[in-house]
Every structure is written in structure tokens, then in C-alpha cells.
Amino acid sequence: MDGFACSLVTIQYEDNTIMVGGGSSEFIVTVETRAAIRNLIGTLGEDDFVEITVGGQACEYPRMYIVSLKLVESALLQLLTNASVELEWETIEK
């Protein structure tokens, strides 16, 4: 994912839709289930917004949602293999 030509990957796994958006060094990870939407929380702080391209659209996201490729990998390991990885998620009930 380079953030321009390819800026969104969606994975269907069991009852989850896993979306990874962005590119280069800034990514967003969102998981949608029947009951909730979960956003992976990064370590960059939460006071301002960052513009990144997701799904071909330039959007502003809270800085706290921006994660590194390493955190994307950890999240996918947790979601796809039930690996014990300590991550912080924001959960929004539907």
C-alpha cells in the first residue's frame, strides 16, 4: 500500500470485516463486527487530526488512529490467529 494507487485493503474473516487503510508509514486499522466498530489506537497522541488517503479519498483522522506498519502486523496477528498481542482498541457499539 503506497497511500495513493493502493490505499485500502479489506479482509473478510469469520464475522469480521478488517480494513487497513493508508500507506507509506501511516495506517488506520478498523474492524467491523455485527455488534461494534473497533479502531486500533496508536501511540502518536490524540489532540489533532492527520490527513491520509484511505480508499482513494483524502480524509482527516484523529491522530490517535494513526498506526505504524508494525502495529498493523500485530493487529492482524491478533485478529487472524488469536495471538496474544497487547493492543489498545476503541470500541463503538452499534
Side-chain angles (χ1 to χ4, degrees):
M1 295 174 49
D2 63 7
F4 297 103
C6 181
S7 61
L8 180 66
V9 173
T10 302
I11 302 165
Q12 281 295 136
Y13 182 72
E14 296 177 354
D15 290 335
N16 298 319
T17 301
I18 304 164
M19 294 165 278
V20 179
S24 185
S25 62
E26 296 181 323
F27 299 92
I28 304 278
V29 178
T30 301
V31 179
E32 186 170 359
T33 68
R34 292 182 185 154
I37 297 171
R38 298 172 59 210
N39 295 302
L40 183 61
I41 303 296
T43 60
L44 298 177
E46 56 186 67
D47 290 339
D48 56 351
F49 289 81
V50 175
E51 185 176 295
I52 66 171
T53 300
V54 174
Q57 302 267 335
C59 302
E60 287 191 350
Y61 288 90
R63 182 172 292 282
M64 69 181 188
Y65 291 164
I66 306 300
V67 298
S68 66
L69 183 57
K70 182 149 181 68
L71 278 178
V72 171
E73 291 174 22
S74 295
L76 291 174
L77 275 173
Q78 182 184 70
L79 295 164
L80 300 174
T81 69
N82 293 320
S84 179
V85 180
E86 197 159 318
L87 298 171
E88 183 179 355
W89 295 89
E90 172 193 60
T91 300
I92 303 166
E93 301 295 328
K94 289 184 176 179

